[in-house]
Amino acid sequence: IGESVNLKAYVYPTDAEDDEIIWESEKPDVAKITPDNKLLAVGVGTTTIIAKTSRGTSSSFIVEINEVIANSISIQNNNKTMLIEDSQKLEINFVPDNTTYKDVVWISSDDSILTVDNDGEILAVGLGKAKITATHKELKDSFEIEVLPIKADKISIICLDKLERDEKLDILKIDVNDTCIFEANISPSNTTDKTITWSVNDDE
């Protein structure tokens, strides 16, 4: 598939008037005739190629078109680590590049950590390590990905009550025996572990 050859036919006797050759393929989806009289292989199978003159004299032969089989495959765009909730599209490199059928089966060793669809799109859904494997016929390639948590890079305390605040000193003024409800905002909002531990430096 993908190869082409020049076609040539001769008319006998050589001084025949109908010496123009017309080329035909019975199955153009297997092999077709190009405008410059080349035979181009386009699909797997067999077809009959016919050379004929304007008066109907003809000759023919059968051509068999074979698929180009991959010698090896390798996964491209493979990052060794991902953050949870991230995704990436994996591609397969075929050798040779003109391999006819490039169908691939994708498998994750642990769907609770990494999922992969039929197009090679992987999604990190849990923490840990999982192996992604691509299979094409008898050929395989795989690699391991570690899914890491999204860490917080900032935390800010917000007082939910309307209290007097000294902005300059960043101090909340609260009367004795009063209460104040605080909330902690974590950035980024999709931080994996949002556990908050509260403490005070003077509880007297």
Side-chain angles (χ1 to χ4, degrees):
I1 290 182
E3 293 181 338
S4 65
V5 293
N6 293 316
L7 294 173
K8 184 71 175 178
Y10 299 91
V11 175
Y12 297 96
T14 56
D15 58 352
E17 294 181 0
D18 55 337
D19 58 354
E20 182 181 355
I21 304 298
I22 301 170
W23 293 95
E24 292 181 358
S25 171
E26 286 188 345
K27 297 179 181 178
D29 58 336
V30 174
K32 65 180 182 180
I33 309 300
T34 66
D36 56 348
N37 290 334
K38 286 186 178 181
L39 176 65
L40 177 62
V42 294
V44 174
T46 59
T47 185
T48 300
I49 305 300
I50 305 168
K52 63 181 180 180
T53 66
S54 59
R55 294 187 179 182
T57 306
S58 66
S59 182
S60 65
F61 66 93
I62 296 175
V63 61
E64 178 181 358
I65 309 301
N66 299 316
E67 67 173 292
V68 179
I69 299 175
N71 296 321
S72 66
I73 62 171
S74 58
I75 302 175
Q76 306 298 304
N77 307 335
N78 50 335
N79 297 320
K80 300 301 182 183
T81 61
M82 293 177 64
L83 294 178
I84 192 167
E85 299 179 2
D86 277 357
S87 64
Q88 65 170 307
K89 177 69 179 296
L90 300 177
E91 303 288 344
I92 291 290
N93 180 47
F94 287 84
V95 178
D97 184 61
N98 64 335
T99 296
T100 304
Y101 301 118
K102 296 184 177 182
D103 51 303
V104 175
V105 177
W106 296 93
I107 296 176
S108 170
S109 64
D110 192 337
D111 289 333
S112 66
I113 297 175
L114 286 172
T115 62
V116 59
D117 64 16
N118 294 333
D119 297 321
E121 183 85 18
I122 59 176
L123 176 63
V125 295
L127 301 179
K129 294 181 180 181
K131 182 180 290 186
I132 298 296
T133 301
T135 303
H136 171 76
K137 296 184 178 180
E138 303 299 323
L139 303 175
K140 289 185 178 182
D141 189 27
S142 62
F143 73 103
E144 189 176 68
I145 297 178
E146 181 178 9
V147 179
L148 304 174
I150 300 173
K151 296 182 178 180
D153 55 26
K154 182 181 179 182
I155 183 171
S156 57
I157 299 175
I158 298 174
C159 180
L160 301 181
D161 298 330
K162 296 180 179 179
L163 299 173
E164 181 182 355
R165 185 180 180 90
D166 188 328
E167 298 292 345
K168 183 177 181 181
L169 297 178
D170 197 26
I171 296 175
L172 283 174
K173 296 180 179 180
I174 306 173
D175 293 334
V176 175
N177 296 325
D178 278 353
T179 61
C180 181
I181 300 175
F182 291 100
E183 184 179 90
N185 280 354
I186 300 173
S187 178
S189 59
N190 62 340
T191 296
T192 303
D193 185 359
K194 295 184 179 180
T195 303
I196 301 294
T197 301
W198 295 92
S199 63
V200 62
N201 66 350
D202 188 349
D203 57 3
E204 295 182 359

